Amino acid sequence: MLNGRRILVGITGGIAAYKVAELVRLLVKSSAEVRVVMTEGAKEFITPLTLQALSGNPVHHTLLDPSAEAGMGHIELAKWADLIVVAPATANFIARFAAGMANDLLSTLCLATDAPVAIAPAMNQAMWKNPRTQRNINSFLSDSNLFVWGPDSGVQACGDVGLGRMLEPVQLMDNVLGYFKSGALQGKNVVITAGPTREAIDPVRYISNHSSGKMGYALAAAAQVAGANVTLISGPVSIPVPEGVDLQSVVTASEMLKSAEILADNGCDIFIAAAAVADYRVLEVAEQKIKKTNDDMVIELSKNPDIVATIASRKVKPFVVGFAAETQDVLAYAKGKLIRKKLDMIIANDVSDSRIGFNSEDNEVTVLWQNKQSGADENTAFSLQNKTQLATNIIELISAQIAAS
Ligand code: C5P
């Protein structure tokens, strides 16, 4: 659900540090990219190796380490993050953070980053109640880029009872999801077609294509993370449905069109056609398996309905985005399709390039649209990147376009 969001988890030296292993696991499970930074104190409670294994990345812990700086330097790391979560955040860290200090790697990152910082305080109840800690916490409340998650109340490791327990990893996870959910497509209804369609020849054979559905599914996940209510109309594929996304499984182009029209009738704000719809269907599907009696065989085909063009020509129409997979004159053909199909935006890619395309993990595209105010053609090129990351970028571009129009 976090679909390539870059989350930097800072761990400071409190007993709750061991619980953060679970938070890192939940973040990774939700497809976030996670990097962990530990203070010296944190390493007394949990080993960097545990966090390295769970995050899948080396753990950062030293500010002035030439080899670490040669890998991902501290400023680069500060820029990399979409969100920093410090959990547990000790009274000492909170005091240093409030004072704007930069005397270890984590405090330096928190000072250098433009990303929001969320802290999950964890300390003894008396330390939490202490007016100096409260003054530090209060100093964060007016800053819209800082969040204080918790603390919880209950029995503490030292036996005291009161406020100061770190929120449980699942609650922190909910807060992370909630933060990203307040995204640009909050409450919008998004419908995405994905995968191939299959057109039967007889009960055992069909015409189809190699579409994996990856791009459409990645867009569904990214739209969901941006706060949309997402429905995927998917042809037969073998990839999991992103959590929180509704699935309508279809086989043929006609079924895909029917689902799309029903969803458009019920209020669709954005329609993204990522499916590789079979251009033709068999005119007369044989009721029984066709026998190979003749040397030659002719199958008569009939053109399938154009789903995206049908949706785009409705009187009340959603913001419609299509794809153009081309092998030559990519931008010119894509522009033609944008106009002919009455689309609001088109995503063009060069499928003659073997690095990208139907079954690959990566894609490189140019998105084209016409500026509604000036009538000028506009485009944004996205260099070769993972489809997950690309989907997030495309969803951001669509959101910005909708906001501007
Ligand atoms: O015309 P062409 O197939 O190249 O157009 C590609 C775009 O149109 C894609 O967005 C695809 O999902 C959509 N399409 C469709 N219905 C069809 C054919 C293509 O929605 N029958």
Side-chain angles (χ1 to χ4, degrees):
M1 277 154 94
L2 290 171
N3 203 39
R5 296 289 186 176
R6 294 162 165 185
I7 299 170
L8 197 148
V9 176
I11 310 179
T12 70
I15 181 63
Y18 80 94
K19 293 189 179 180
V20 177
E22 176 65 2
L23 173 63
V24 170
R25 195 186 68 81
L26 292 171
L27 291 168
V28 169
K29 196 167 153 231
S30 281
S31 305
E33 281 184 48
V34 181
R35 286 191 172 259
V36 177
V37 176
M38 297 176 81
T39 62
E40 284 306 306
K43 290 193 282 178
E44 300 292 329
F45 290 92
I46 184 167
T47 70
L49 192 61
T50 305
L51 280 316
Q52 176 179 317
L54 289 169
S55 67
N57 282 311
V59 170
H60 308 261
H61 43 81
T62 319
L63 179 58
L64 303 171
D65 175 352
S67 62
E69 286 295 301
M72 191 184 253
H74 66 279
I75 297 295
E76 209 181 328
L77 199 53
K79 286 186 179 154
W80 172 88
D82 293 326
L83 173 70
I84 296 181
V85 180
V86 182
T90 58
N92 174 48
F93 174 80
I94 290 169
R96 289 188 293 120
F97 184 41
M101 289 178 72
N103 58 346
D104 65 3
L105 179 60
L106 184 58
S107 55
T108 304
L109 290 173
C110 288
L111 201 60
T113 193
D114 283 333
V117 178
I119 59 165
M123 67 196 73
N124 168 269
Q125 51 84 26
M127 291 167 80
W128 173 254
K129 272 197 300 213
N130 189 297
R132 274 155 293 182
T133 303
Q134 287 305 306
R135 189 182 59 215
N136 291 334
I137 290 290
N138 287 334
S139 73
F140 302 147
L141 300 181
S142 58
D143 189 331
S144 59
N145 229 18
L146 298 183
F147 307 109
V148 181
W149 291 346
D152 217 344
S153 180
V155 181
Q156 305 202 301
C158 56
D160 281 6
V161 178
L163 270 173
R165 285 171 59 91
M166 188 182 80
L167 292 186
E168 292 300 325
V170 280
Q171 290 170 286
L172 292 175
M173 181 67 192
D174 273 354
N175 287 358
V176 172
L177 290 172
Y179 166 74
F180 285 112
K181 196 84 175 128
S182 57
L185 295 183
Q186 190 66 44
K188 298 264 187 232
N189 295 325
V190 176
V191 176
I192 300 175
T193 68
T197 65
R198 271 183 197 168
E199 311 299 334
I201 298 171
D202 69 13
V204 295
R205 303 182 183 93
Y206 56 79
I207 299 171
S208 191
N209 58 64
H210 291 297
S211 169
S212 63
K214 281 179 195 156
M215 196 65 236
Y217 276 56
L219 285 165
Q224 208 273 341
V225 168
N229 311 309
V230 185
T231 307
L232 251 180
I233 310 175
S234 177
V237 295
S238 53
I239 49 176
V241 182
E243 241 177 286
V245 167
D246 289 334
L247 175 72
Q248 295 203 356
S249 292
V250 296
V251 177
T252 65
S254 307
E255 288 170 11
M256 191 172 267
L257 176 64
K258 197 168 156 208
S259 282
E261 293 203 290
I262 292 171
L263 287 163
D265 283 343
N266 289 332
C268 162
D269 301 298
I270 302 169
F271 185 86
I272 306 175
V277 183
D279 290 327
Y280 293 90
R281 67 180 178 282
V282 176
L283 195 59
E284 278 183 32
V285 180
E287 270 179 31
Q288 304 300 330
K289 185 178 170 192
I290 300 170
K291 295 291 171 198
K292 50 175 180 291
T293 44
N294 299 339
D295 282 351
D296 299 314
M297 176 178 174
V298 174
I299 298 174
E300 210 177 331
L301 301 177
S302 168
K303 204 164 191 184
N304 264 332
D306 192 313
I307 298 164
V308 75
T310 309
I311 298 299
S313 61
R314 292 169 76 99
K315 232 191 232 133
V316 182
K317 71 171 198 120
F319 186 89
V320 183
V321 183
F323 273 76
E326 307 292 343
T327 55
Q328 56 176 342
D329 295 334
V330 179
L331 297 187
Y333 278 122
K335 195 181 164 205
K337 234 167 246 186
L338 175 76
I339 295 165
R340 196 172 62 252
K341 297 193 184 207
K342 300 195 177 78
L343 308 180
D344 296 293
M345 218 176 217
I346 194 153
I347 302 161
N349 66 335
D350 183 348
V351 283
S352 68
D353 185 335
S354 57
R355 298 166 306 155
I356 56 181
F358 269 4
N359 257 310
S360 62
E361 293 301 320
D362 299 330
N363 208 348
E364 182 177 66
V365 304
T366 301
V367 184
L368 294 91
W369 69 96
Q370 197 183 43
N371 186 312
K372 287 263 154 54
Q373 270 88 45
S374 66
D377 290 340
E378 300 205 22
N379 68 68
T380 296
F382 292 108
S383 59
L384 186 71
Q385 55 194 284
N386 181 290
K387 282 180 178 169
T388 300
Q389 189 60 46
L390 181 61
T392 303
N393 286 329
I394 292 174
I395 290 296
E396 272 173 18
L397 190 60
I398 293 174
S399 312
Q401 248 331 91
I402 291 175
S405 60

